[in-house]
Each structure stands twice: as C-alpha cells, then as structure tokens.
Amino acid sequence: MSPGFLKDVTYQANCHEATFEQICEYAKQQLEIIHKWASEMPSFKHLSCNDQKALLTSSAPEILVFSICCFSVQNKCGPDNLLLDKDLVISRTNRQFEVAIRNIVSFIIDTIVDPLKDVKTDRYELSRLRRIILFNTTTKSTHQNLKDPEEVRKLRRTEHVLLQKYTDNTQGRIGELLLLLPPLTTAGTLFVEHLHLEKLVGDTFDNLVAAELLLAMGNG
C-alpha cells in the first residue's frame, strides 16, 4: 500500500492557511488512512480488536504529526509551514490561531521537520519508524489497556531489528532516526490537545474497529 501521507504533490508557493475546520477534516481523513494502513498489516491484524484499538488510539497523535512532517519534507514545503495538501498549510506565523498553537507548529518544524531534512530518510526508514510508533507499549495508559502487551513488545522489537539491519552500513544512522521519536511524542500530544482532537481520535477508531468487527462477524 502506498499511504496517503507518502503521496507526491506539487507544492504551491501561494498556499492557503488552513482553518480549524479544515484541520479537523484533514485529521479525520488521515485517521481513516492510518486505520487502513494498520489493518492491512498481517502482524497488526493478528492482535485482538481490543489491542488494535488501544494501539491506534495511543499512537494516532504521533503518526498524524509524523505524516504531516514527512509530507512537508517530501514535497519541499516552505520553512515556516506544515503542508497538509498541495495548497493548504498550517503556518507558524498564522495569527488566526492562538500563540500556543503557533508555538506547537514551530516546535514541530524545528524538532522534527528540520531534522528529517538533515537526516534524509528514505521511504523504507519512514515505514519502519511509523511501525515502531504504532507498536509502542511504553505509555502507562497503553500498557494498561493492552490484553497482550508482550506480543506487542515482540512486534516492536522486530521493527527495531529490521531498521537496525537496514542501517547497519551507516555508523550512527539508527541513532539519528530513533532520536526523532521523543520530540514526536511531545508534538503529537500537544497537537491533539490544543486543537481539541482527542474526541475525534477516540470516536473515529471506535467506529472503524466496530464496523470491522461487525463485518467479520457477518462474514463468519
């Protein structure tokens, strides 16, 4: 599958500033893409519906922000913007948003987008990093909600090993890549909280997982 967050577009310099409503609609579309991407992964499908939902809900903020960052870097977005679509951006200079949100955008650009440009990641590395984010059991709430945390830890270790093998020829490469994750955790949490997207995340995955379960029961 070629995820929507890895699509190529032609970045337009005369972009429009995204409104709050457009960001919410974008987030909803991306959450559906994230669910589809994860659901097509055999190792993820093997987990219980409870654990699938727990992992999606907890990792979605980070994967959402990571997708925006990758999309911005891939399509050479301007230095003050996060690219949502070819002509739609969130800018750190946009005064329609409160200072806290503009500061979050700046944090994302400075700690994730700019390092991604410097590290020059390829699609395989981005894919492995996205899976490492998905199979994260380190947060207290995720660990408590998982029925089989050990199985999820095994899946995450597998992703680490695959990334390690891929980067073995470049000394220090895996360290550079994994250093992208801590600021991403902070950015994901802040982005979702300040844009009030928590309910959207929870409701979207509740509905998608429930629909998938009903479909499976019907086919059974």
Side-chain angles (χ1 to χ4, degrees), residues 154-166:
K154 287 179 183 177
L155 293 174
R156 196 174 206 230
R157 283 196 293 270
T158 297
E159 296 302 330
H160 272 279
V161 169
L162 290 170
L163 184 60
Q164 176 73 63
K165 287 181 177 178
Y166 185 76

Side-chain angles (χ1 to χ4, degrees), residues 44-100:
F44 183 81
K45 288 172 67 175
H46 177 71
L47 299 171
S48 68
C49 286
N50 174 85
D51 288 1
Q52 289 181 29
K53 182 179 147 188
L55 290 173
L56 284 168
T57 302
S58 64
S59 66
E62 292 174 58
I63 296 178
L64 177 62
V65 171
F66 193 52
S67 301
I68 294 171
C69 293
C70 294
F71 190 57
S72 300
V73 171
Q74 182 180 351
N75 294 288
K76 299 179 175 60
C77 186
D80 292 320
N81 300 328
L82 295 174
L83 187 64
L84 303 184
D85 206 340
K86 62 182 179 181
D87 60 352
L88 194 66
V89 299
I90 309 174
S91 171
R92 57 173 148 196
T93 61
N94 185 352
R95 296 192 176 275
Q96 72 167 308
F97 294 122
E98 60 186 80
V99 173

Side-chain angles (χ1 to χ4, degrees), residues 50-51 54-55 58 139-149:
N50 174 85
D51 288 1
L55 290 173
S58 64
T139 64
K140 184 178 179 181
S141 61
T142 308
H143 187 82
Q144 289 174 339
N145 290 328
L146 289 172
K147 289 184 177 179
D148 193 354

Side-chain angles (χ1 to χ4, degrees), residues 100-120:
I101 293 177
R102 298 203 302 270
N103 287 342
I104 293 167
V105 174
S106 283
F107 177 80
I108 292 171
I109 292 171
D110 294 341
T111 64
I112 306 168
V113 172
D114 288 346
L116 271 174
K117 291 177 182 176
D118 294 338
V119 173
K120 295 181 175 61

Side-chain angles (χ1 to χ4, degrees), residues 119-148:
V119 173
K120 295 181 175 61
T121 48
D122 62 30
R123 292 197 175 208
Y124 182 87
E125 291 168 336
L126 295 177
S127 175
R128 295 271 80 89
L129 285 172
R130 195 172 286 108
R131 291 176 183 223
I132 288 171
I133 296 168
L134 175 66
F135 295 127
N136 184 14
T137 63
T138 58
T139 64
K140 184 178 179 181
S141 61
T142 308
H143 187 82
Q144 289 174 339
N145 290 328
L146 289 172
K147 289 184 177 179
D148 193 354

